[in-house]
Amino acid sequence: ARRRDGLRTGDEADAAVAESGDPAAAQGILPQVGDYMLKKAEEWGADLRYETPFVQLAQDENGKVTGAYAKIGDGCVLFNASKGVILATGGYEANPDLLAELNPDAAAIGGVSMTQAGCEGEGIKAGIWAGGMKDEIPTLMTFARAAVAPDAELGYPYQGMTCWIGDQPFLKVNLRGERFALESADYDYLPHAAAQQPGGVYISVWDGNFGDDVQRFHTLGCSAGTRMGVLGVKKEDGTYDLDKYFEKELADGRLQKADTLDELADKLGFDAKKTFLATCERYNELYDNQEDVDFGKEPYRLSELRPPPFFGATLGGTLLTTIDGVRINADCQALNTDFEPIEGLYCAGDCSGSLFSGNYPDQMHGVACGRTMTEALHVVKLVAAK
């Protein structure tokens, strides 16, 4: 049932994903959520300003943050803040120059950007200029979801398309046709492991058992959208219409389909076809024995490469967000270089640091979104109560 406020329920969002075969379908409710929240904020007296770029923080002689300067037209306006300023400007992932400067290794493996416009590090830089300090280790949330052309160069400008199937633990090989990593490792492991391989990209392959395989793999977090989405093309006889499910990727040409592995190897551009076919044969042996003695993958995440059709895609990393922001204490107060709070300055979400250290722990599903919402709720209540 639709709620009185017009928003769809969680069940409806799940159904939208299953029906479309696209995990992004659930994002269709986000504009409604945003509109609802803005409307409530205005009802409660919030003063919403658009096209008002943030310039820098205002501080008194003691270093207390007392407001913020913003650009309006050809000039700047000072917004005084008697209770404090909350920086919630996101990370710096949408600033390719800054990303390459601070985190060149992560920037170099990108094939697709899922970054949010405007997240260019302005809030983090302002926090540092006000006396704060950023996490020392630059950290980018990277996922294995960028389908690219076999000869594409990774990095900015990004040349790929989002391919959610990349998260699934199917066989993955380098350009020499060799298996090189544990496919069921964390989201960001494979793109970084592939960066040590020829060309920096890798290839994932699977067969006609795709629908049943992804149900058995039962990946969690946002990658679960694949096993949910493919249910939308499940037929009455229990099989899956994979041509329909992969329609967009096949039409784009970054996903290849073939009747044999030999033909697939040609379509994927393998120079070392014999090595690739031998790797596939070896992978079938591991599946038959239900033991991955080569890389230690869990038996329930092994799969065979036998029933046609066969599919393959060349993959790189997908950039989502940076998570090394301004260091904070338990109340989201920005900390100076002496680890003391800067009076009047707070940070929340990807603009803040101190929670993650060097990587995004994807086995704690929802921790990034949960962190952002928890910090926002906490600091708004804290500042409003002053």
Side-chain angles (χ1 to χ4, degrees):
R2 192 169 296 277
R3 292 167 38 157
R4 291 182 180 179
D5 52 25
L7 300 181
R8 284 187 284 185
T9 65
D11 288 342
E12 285 182 307
D14 288 346
V17 174
E19 181 179 354
S20 69
D22 183 358
Q27 295 179 7
I29 68 170
L30 294 182
Q32 298 179 55
V33 174
D35 291 344
Y36 175 82
M37 294 176 68
L38 290 174
K39 181 180 178 181
K40 296 300 293 186
E42 288 181 310
E43 289 177 1
W44 294 336
D47 180 11
L48 302 177
R49 302 291 182 99
Y50 299 94
E51 297 183 2
T52 312
F54 170 58
V55 177
Q56 68 180 57
L57 297 167
Q59 294 176 275
D60 64 16
E61 63 276 7
N62 297 316
K64 176 182 177 180
V65 174
T66 58
Y69 290 96
K71 186 177 181 180
I72 297 181
D74 295 329
C76 285
V77 173
L78 171 62
F79 290 84
N80 293 308
S82 60
K83 295 186 176 184
V85 172
I86 303 171
L87 293 173
T89 55
Y92 55 91
E93 62 277 359
N95 186 332
D97 292 333
L98 185 58
L99 180 63
E101 178 183 347
L102 296 180
N103 197 343
D105 289 341
I109 64 176
V112 165
S113 174
M114 294 180 67
T115 61
Q116 298 296 308
C119 293
E120 299 185 0
E122 301 303 329
I124 296 174
K125 288 188 285 187
I128 295 173
W129 292 333
M133 57 178 174
K134 190 182 78 68
D135 284 338
E136 292 183 359
I137 302 175
T139 307
L140 176 71
M141 288 170 56
T142 303
F143 300 86
R145 298 176 188 155
V148 298
D151 58 349
E153 291 188 9
L154 298 180
Y156 185 82
Y158 311 112
Q159 302 179 46
M161 69 173 294
T162 299
C163 181
W164 287 80
I165 302 97
D167 286 331
Q168 298 301 311
F170 291 108
L171 172 65
K172 293 179 172 62
V173 300
N174 61 21
L175 296 183
R176 294 174 178 167
E178 304 161 333
R179 190 181 179 203
F180 64 94
L182 173 63
E183 295 92 351
S184 62
D186 294 351
Y187 285 141
D188 61 352
Y189 176 75
L190 278 161
H192 283 286
Q196 314 303 317
Q197 302 295 316
V201 296
Y202 56 104
I203 295 172
S204 183
V205 294
W206 58 89
D207 65 12
N209 284 327
F210 175 88
D212 291 330
D213 285 340
V214 296
Q215 302 307 318
R216 185 178 71 258
F217 295 160
H218 200 81
T219 60
L220 301 175
C222 47
S223 71
T226 298
R227 62 180 166 83
M228 294 166 58
V230 77
L231 294 176
V233 297
K234 190 171 185 178
K235 297 182 287 188
E236 291 184 0
D237 63 0
T239 61
Y240 297 84
D241 186 347
L242 297 183
D243 284 341
K244 181 178 180 180
Y245 183 71
F246 295 127
E247 182 177 8
K248 180 178 67 174
E249 291 83 359
L250 289 170
D252 175 84
R254 289 183 175 88
L255 177 64
Q256 297 296 326
K257 174 188 173 185
D259 293 326
T260 67
L261 287 171
D262 189 277
E263 179 189 357
L264 183 66
D266 289 335
K267 289 187 173 184
L268 292 170
F270 273 115
D271 291 329
K273 183 194 293 189
K274 290 179 62 176
T275 301
F276 169 69
L277 295 176
T279 299
C280 293
E281 184 178 351
R282 171 62 176 169
Y283 198 66
N284 280 334
E285 293 176 2
L286 299 176
Y287 172 78
D288 291 340
N289 294 329
Q290 285 295 286
E291 183 179 9
D292 183 6
V293 296
D294 295 344
F295 287 89
K297 185 155 65 178
E298 309 93 320
Y300 78 97
R301 285 190 169 170
L302 290 170
S303 55
E304 62 181 334
L305 286 164
R306 290 192 175 107
F310 300 94
F311 298 88
T314 305
L315 301 169
T318 298
L319 286 63
L320 184 58
T321 181
T322 56
I323 46 181
D324 51 310
V326 178
R327 289 186 174 179
I328 58 174
N329 63 14
D331 284 330
C332 298
Q333 291 177 287
L335 299 177
N336 63 24
T337 54
D338 293 323
F339 291 88
E340 296 295 333
I342 299 173
E343 189 176 359
L345 183 60
Y346 303 83
C347 298
D350 293 334
C351 184
S352 69
S354 300
L355 179 64
F356 303 103
S357 179
N359 76 316
Y360 169 54
D362 74 304
Q363 299 306 310
M364 299 172 63
H365 302 293
V367 68
C369 183
R371 178 275 298 255
T372 295
M373 293 189 292
T374 300
E375 287 181 351
L377 287 168
H378 177 72
V379 70
V380 168
K381 291 179 178 179
L382 182 71
V383 173
K386 287 188 173 185

